[in-house]
């Protein structure tokens, strides 16, 4: 199957034929879900999602709706702390990215610079986090997140300084790891209730990612994406397809996040979100979202590889992908990626590619990226390292002298 063609999955449309576990509410409502309703859902009417008044604002106000453009209006400058300075300012290829990772990043930087120009796409970036994740979200605000048209840091409190927004779910685990499924359901409902008409695409991820927003917008603005979604009951749901020995069904990996179009978000919230696995608990929100998305269309995800067959959405860090040795000893993360690439090859005919053949010049996101690595990628992809690091070192010494 050539690149940029949506994968043709199974012709059977029932959950049983797909070979996955069904949940009682799904069995009862499946026929309704497959025949997508256009009836909108009023805020506060979502199944097993707390009402709007449960959201508490920074001043104690109930029903808080945040300003999604807070970073566009007040962009944050890059901050290099003494603790992170050495790793962020290391010579190219001598940082955590490694020489091969730096070569991949140089290709990406060249692509960004060669394809400069405003891509006519309004993108919302929704990140699930908590108050203990401030180092990550601060780094995101200083780097990639300020290039999104709208941003949400879904958290356990609201804070205007950090941008965090109190967004509770119905999970007894509250904001813990086991509450991720219900937290994600709440995020999707919040986006639908308050931002559906303002943005064309929504990228949902955790806090440990680096999104190359220009490349994501470039992909979403392609004729392929536009034509794909013109087809009735076909929706843009983009990410890294995963299938491995630890779970029997395929799904879009939540690590790098997944991107939904407005059409997809609307159909998902008005359909499966209200009926599919509504009380399920656990950390595997990506599996839940993918399994419920299959009720909209068995061909539930879009092929996001570039014209050479290289991948854009990355479940691992740039250095891990750039140095990937499929014949060597693989840790858990590398093993599930390797098995997923082999599955894509067997199922769709996608070549199993590694290292520089795997990392697209138009890559859109890397997972497993801690705060210091976000700042490092910002410097390597967008800035003059010598100028940035020398200027900040001079400022630091002047402050010490004073």
């Amino acid at each position: 199957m050539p690149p940029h063609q949506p994968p043709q999955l199974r012709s059977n449309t029932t959950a049983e034929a797909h070979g996955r576990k069904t949940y009682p509410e799904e069995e009862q409502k499946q026929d309704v879900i497959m025949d997508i309703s256009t009836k909108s859902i009023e805020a506060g009417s979502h199944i097993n999602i707390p009402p709007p008044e449960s959201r508490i604002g920074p001043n104690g106000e109930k029903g808080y709706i945040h300003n999604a453009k807070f970073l566009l209006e007040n962009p944050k400058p890059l901050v290099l702390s003494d603790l992170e300075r050495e790793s962020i300012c290391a010579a190219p290829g001598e940082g955590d990215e490694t020489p091969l990772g730096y070569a991949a990043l140089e290709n990406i930087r060249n692509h960004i610079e060669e394809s400069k120009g405003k891509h006519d796409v309004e993108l919302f970036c929704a990140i699930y986090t908590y108050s203990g994740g401030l180092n990550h979200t601060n780094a995101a605000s200083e780097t990639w997140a300020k290039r999104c048209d709208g941003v949400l840091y879904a958290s356990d409190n609201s804070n205007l300084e950090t941008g965090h927004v109190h967004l509770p779910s119905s999970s007894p685990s509250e904001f813990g790891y086991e509450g991720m499924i219900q937290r994600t359901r709440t995020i999707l409902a919040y986006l639908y209730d308050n931002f559906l008409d303002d943005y064309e695409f929504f990228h949902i991820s955790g806090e440990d990612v680096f999104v190359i927003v220009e490349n994501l917008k470039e992909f979403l603005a392609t004729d392929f994406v536009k034509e794909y979604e013109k087809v009735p009951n076909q929706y843009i749901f983009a990410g890294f397809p995963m299938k491995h020995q630890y779970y029997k069904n395929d799904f879009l990996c939540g690590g790098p996040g997944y991107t939904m179009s407005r059409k997809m978000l609307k159909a998902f919230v008005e359909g499966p979100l209200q009926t599919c696995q509504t009380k399920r608990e656990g950390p595997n929100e990506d599996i839940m979202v993918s399994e419920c998305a299959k009720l909209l269309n068995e061909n539930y995800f879009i092929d996001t590889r570039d014209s050479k067959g290289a991948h854009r959405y990355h479940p691992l860090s740039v250095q891990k992908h750039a140095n990937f040795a499929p014949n060597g000893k693989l840790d858990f993360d590398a093993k599930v990626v390797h098995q997923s690439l082999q599955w894509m090859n067997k199922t769709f005919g996608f070549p199993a590619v590694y290292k520089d053949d795997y990392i697209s010049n138009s890559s859109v996101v890397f997972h497993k990226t801690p705060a210091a690595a976000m700042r490092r990628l910002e410097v390597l992809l967008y800035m003059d390292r010598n100028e940035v690091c020398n200027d900040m070192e001079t400022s630091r010494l002047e402050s010490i002298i004073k």
Side-chain angles (χ1 to χ4, degrees):
M1 185 176 297
H4 288 313
Q5 293 299 310
Q8 298 302 311
L9 299 179
R10 304 156 183 81
S11 59
N12 294 316
T13 58
T14 65
E16 291 80 3
H18 189 65
R20 61 185 172 83
K21 180 181 178 181
T22 57
Y23 289 77
E25 64 268 29
E26 184 179 327
E27 293 170 348
Q28 295 168 8
K29 302 279 188 159
Q30 185 167 324
D31 291 339
V32 176
I33 293 173
M34 296 303 292
D35 180 17
I36 301 303
S37 171
T38 57
K39 184 178 180 180
S40 61
I41 307 295
E42 293 185 7
S45 300
H46 301 283
I47 302 299
N48 200 36
I49 290 173
E53 56 267 26
S54 65
R55 302 191 303 265
I56 307 301
N59 298 312
E61 63 272 37
K62 294 183 178 181
Y64 180 63
I65 301 173
H66 82 296
N67 174 17
K69 297 186 181 295
F70 70 96
L71 279 180
L72 286 179
E73 296 170 358
N74 296 286
K76 307 295 184 183
L78 185 69
V79 176
L80 301 188
S81 68
D82 291 343
L83 186 64
E84 296 178 344
R85 185 179 305 276
E86 183 176 351
S87 64
I88 294 171
C89 292
E94 295 181 12
D96 290 341
E97 75 278 358
T98 74
L100 290 178
Y102 175 69
L105 291 171
E106 271 293 279
N107 291 335
I108 295 171
R109 178 169 181 148
N110 291 336
H111 179 85
I112 294 171
E113 293 177 349
E114 291 168 2
S115 60
K116 273 185 176 177
K118 181 173 174 58
H119 301 293
D120 191 21
V121 168
E122 289 289 316
L123 175 68
F124 193 110
C125 301
I127 300 99
Y128 44 83
T129 184
Y130 72 116
S131 54
L134 283 179
N135 195 26
H136 279 88
T137 57
N138 286 344
S141 293
E142 296 166 26
T143 60
W144 65 267
K146 60 187 176 185
R147 289 184 279 273
C148 301
D149 300 295
V151 173
L152 165 68
Y153 294 134
S155 186
D156 54 359
N157 66 13
S158 293
N159 187 306
L160 291 177
E161 182 178 347
T162 64
H164 283 216
V165 179
H166 179 241
L167 204 61
S169 76
S170 61
S171 174
S173 297
E174 297 183 333
F175 297 92
Y177 186 57
E178 291 296 319
M180 279 309 309
I181 288 177
Q182 292 302 325
R183 290 195 64 195
T184 300
R185 295 184 69 253
T186 299
I187 290 170
L188 294 174
Y190 179 73
L191 296 177
Y192 172 90
D193 289 344
N194 301 292
F195 303 104
L196 181 68
D197 295 332
D198 299 324
Y199 299 89
E200 297 168 88
F201 294 93
F202 301 82
H203 185 77
I204 298 97
S205 74
E207 61 197 13
D208 59 340
V209 299
F210 190 96
V211 180
I212 304 162
V213 174
E214 299 91 337
N215 287 352
L216 178 52
K217 286 189 169 190
E218 179 186 44
F219 170 66
L220 296 173
T222 59
D223 289 338
F224 165 62
V225 169
K226 293 176 181 176
E227 294 300 318
Y228 184 91
E229 202 166 46
K230 286 181 181 179
V231 179
N233 296 328
Q234 204 161 260
Y235 308 91
I236 300 300
F237 186 38
F240 182 84
M242 188 161 273
K243 174 73 168 68
H244 52 70
Q245 71 186 80
Y246 304 102
Y247 190 72
K248 63 181 179 178
N249 298 321
D250 53 271
F251 59 96
L252 285 192
C253 178
Y258 33 81
T259 310
M260 293 182 174
S261 64
R262 176 192 293 152
K263 177 183 174 184
M264 169 64 177
L265 178 63
K266 183 177 189 296
F268 190 91
V269 172
E270 293 176 359
L273 189 73
Q274 310 303 325
T275 59
C276 177
Q277 306 181 25
T278 57
K279 296 184 179 180
R280 184 172 177 176
E281 293 286 332
N284 305 117
E285 41 75 37
D286 48 2
I287 291 176
M288 179 277 293
V289 173
S290 296
E291 290 188 345
C292 294
K294 291 170 188 175
L295 299 177
L296 294 174
N297 191 323
E298 283 289 297
N299 304 330
Y300 69 104
F301 64 84
I302 189 172
D303 180 7
T304 59
R305 299 170 307 142
D306 69 16
S307 60
K308 296 179 180 179
H311 291 261
R312 289 186 169 102
Y313 287 72
H314 306 304
L316 308 177
S317 66
V318 62
Q319 61 266 27
K320 196 74 174 280
H321 282 299
N323 292 278
F324 202 109
N327 297 322
K329 185 176 180 180
L330 303 178
D331 61 19
F332 175 83
D333 291 336
K335 183 183 292 185
V336 297
V337 170
H338 174 57
Q339 291 180 358
S340 297
L341 291 171
Q342 295 296 318
W343 168 76
M344 283 185 261
N345 175 253
K346 181 179 180 181
T347 307
F348 310 124
F350 296 173
V353 289
Y354 300 92
K355 296 187 174 181
D356 55 344
D357 290 329
Y358 168 87
I359 302 175
S360 172
N361 294 348
S362 56
S363 291
V364 303
V365 59
F366 289 98
H367 184 215
K368 304 286 185 179
T369 308
M374 287 188 217
R375 297 182 174 103
R376 172 70 169 173
L377 292 184
E378 182 75 6
V379 170
L380 292 178
L381 288 174
Y382 296 97
M383 307 177 83
D384 182 318
R385 183 186 65 87
N386 290 326
E387 181 179 332
V388 170
C389 292
N390 289 340
D391 286 352
M392 290 193 172
E393 178 65 12
T394 300
S395 298
R396 186 180 74 89
L397 291 176
E398 288 176 349
S399 67
I400 292 174
I401 293 172
K402 290 178 181 179

